[in-house]
Amino acid sequence: MDEFKRIQKSSLLILLLQFTGAAIGQRDLYLSVRVGDEATLPCNNVFNDQDQCESTTWLLSYSGSTAVLVRGGQIGEEARAKSDRLRVTEKCSLVIKKVTEEDAGPFTCRQFRSGEQQGSDSLVLLSVVTMTEHQNNDEVTLLCSVTTRVSCRHKVKWLLQGRDVDEDNKDIKTSASDCNASVTFQTSHYGSTQRSELFTCSVTADDGNVQTFSFQSSDGDKQAATTSTTTAAVTSSPTIKNSGLLRLVLVSLGLAALIMIVVAVNIWTRAKEKQTQMDEINVRYDVDDGTVNYENIRPPDGV
């Protein structure tokens, strides 16, 4: 009797664990990825006895249409345009390389056997984070926005050194709304390197999952080059002035040293000539008549 109760309790526990695991596995997943990064979308209802994900299908649905990205573990015809950015892992997760805003949306993983769907869908809501930088005279504004292709309820805000920006901070202005946030400050306060190190964009999904992204402009090469050039001109102007002043001082010191050298050489030359003339003349006094006779003691030519 006791053994029967023990077996009954064990069976009930196993059933409970299986039910809990199924409930957790079918929970919608919110995933935010920055433009240009790689996204890995897990399939939480995958069958473990698949060799090459032959029972797995991935779908992307939005605007009333559905595209088949993966069918039977292989990239589908409707995804050929971006097939070089898609691949399926051993665990049937879908990997998207170099994510763009067009990749945002709800992805569904389904399991099929003998043409029939097995179990419930596994849903991944992919959001794409875009960061841009805009400069207006002496002010810089960083923008962080989230693209979802569905109703967006993400909370977005900028953090300074991992913390909320103080509302009393007169040097930094922030604003935030669903799926968008901005921060504005003077160009002289934070250089381009400091911006990437100090400012992060915090994205909170509808399920409470929080992800943070360090600042990295997504405007492209032209915008990045313009911003970099402008920033360098602003931040390096004191250095340019200091370099000019230092160059002026060095030139003045060099000119003074050159003048001193010329004067010293001139004095030395004259002294040398005078000494040479003295050496070439022998002064002899005649003791008898008190006269002075000068004799040139320079050797005759050719001697």
Side-chain angles (χ1 to χ4, degrees):
M1 189 67 176
D2 293 338
E3 182 67 17
F4 176 75
K5 289 183 178 180
R6 185 181 65 81
I7 295 175
Q8 189 178 33
K9 289 181 179 179
S10 299
S11 301
L12 182 61
L13 178 60
I14 293 173
L15 182 61
L16 180 61
L17 290 175
Q18 289 177 343
F19 176 79
T20 304
I24 293 175
Q26 294 173 16
R27 178 185 177 186
D28 295 347
L29 174 65
Y30 289 80
L31 179 64
S32 297
V33 178
R34 180 168 47 197
V35 166
D37 287 352
E38 181 176 283
T40 300
L41 284 57
C43 183
N44 292 328
N45 61 358
V46 65
F47 296 151
N48 295 325
D49 58 349
Q50 301 182 63
D51 293 331
Q52 296 182 348
C53 301
E54 63 275 4
S55 299
T56 300
T57 295
W58 275 99
L59 309 171
L60 173 59
S61 304
Y62 60 87
S63 300
S65 62
T66 300
V68 180
L69 303 179
V70 175
R71 188 190 302 273
Q74 303 299 318
I75 304 300
E77 291 292 335
E78 299 177 49
R80 291 299 179 186
K82 52 183 177 182
S83 60
D84 59 328
R85 298 193 296 115
L86 300 178
R87 67 181 178 88
V88 179
T89 68
E90 294 180 356
K91 296 183 178 181
C92 305
S93 297
L94 178 63
V95 177
I96 307 175
K97 297 187 296 182
K98 297 180 180 179
V99 170
T100 66
E101 292 185 4
E102 287 71 22
D103 295 324
F107 290 77
T108 302
C109 182
R110 287 179 181 171
Q111 302 297 303
F112 289 89
R113 276 186 176 169
S114 301
E116 297 293 331
Q117 180 177 348
Q118 304 295 314
S120 302
D121 291 341
S122 174
L123 182 64
V124 181
L125 300 174
L126 178 63
S127 303
V128 179
V129 178
T130 304
M131 296 183 182
T132 56
E133 175 180 349
H134 303 275
Q135 184 167 333
N136 182 16
N137 296 326
D138 295 333
E139 281 190 343
V140 172
T141 299
L142 307 182
L143 300 177
C144 182
S145 59
V146 178
T147 302
T148 63
R149 291 190 181 274
V150 294
S151 178
C152 182
R153 291 181 289 181
H154 290 66
K155 301 298 181 183
V156 184
K157 63 180 179 180
W158 281 99
L159 304 177
L160 177 61
Q161 293 182 307
R163 299 180 179 180
D164 291 340
V165 178
D166 189 350
E167 295 181 357
D168 296 330
N169 192 329
K170 298 181 180 180
D171 297 327
I172 302 178
K173 301 176 183 178
T174 61
S175 64
S177 61
D178 288 352
C179 291
N180 290 281
S182 67
V183 57
T184 304
F185 49 84
Q186 296 292 316
T187 56
S188 57
H189 290 171
Y190 302 101
S192 57
T193 302
Q194 290 177 311
R195 296 168 200 172
S196 60
E197 293 176 349
L198 300 179
F199 287 97
T200 55
C201 180
S202 173
V203 178
T204 303
D206 194 43
D207 64 347
N209 182 39
V210 180
Q211 293 179 257
T212 58
F213 304 87
S214 59
F215 172 71
Q216 179 178 326
S217 178
S218 306
D219 280 354
D221 295 340
K222 183 176 180 180
Q223 173 67 20
T226 303
T227 302
S228 177
T229 302
T230 306
T231 302
V234 173
T235 56
S236 62
S237 15
T239 304
I240 294 175
K241 292 181 180 179
N242 292 337
S243 299
L245 181 60
L246 179 60
R247 188 180 297 109
L248 180 60
V249 172
L250 292 177
V251 171
S252 300
L253 291 176
L255 183 60
L258 181 61
I259 294 174
M260 292 177 63
I261 292 174
V262 172
V263 172
V265 170
N266 189 29
I267 294 175
W268 179 83
T269 302
R270 291 184 178 182
K272 186 66 176 176
E273 291 177 353
K274 185 176 181 180
Q275 182 63 37
T276 302
Q277 293 176 358
M278 295 298 295
D279 291 342
E280 292 177 349
I281 299 176
N282 179 32
V283 181
R284 181 173 58 82
Y285 292 90
D286 192 331
V287 180
D288 296 335
D289 57 9
T291 61
V292 180
N293 296 320
Y294 295 89
E295 296 179 359
N296 191 342
I297 62 173
R298 175 181 295 176
D301 295 338
V303 180

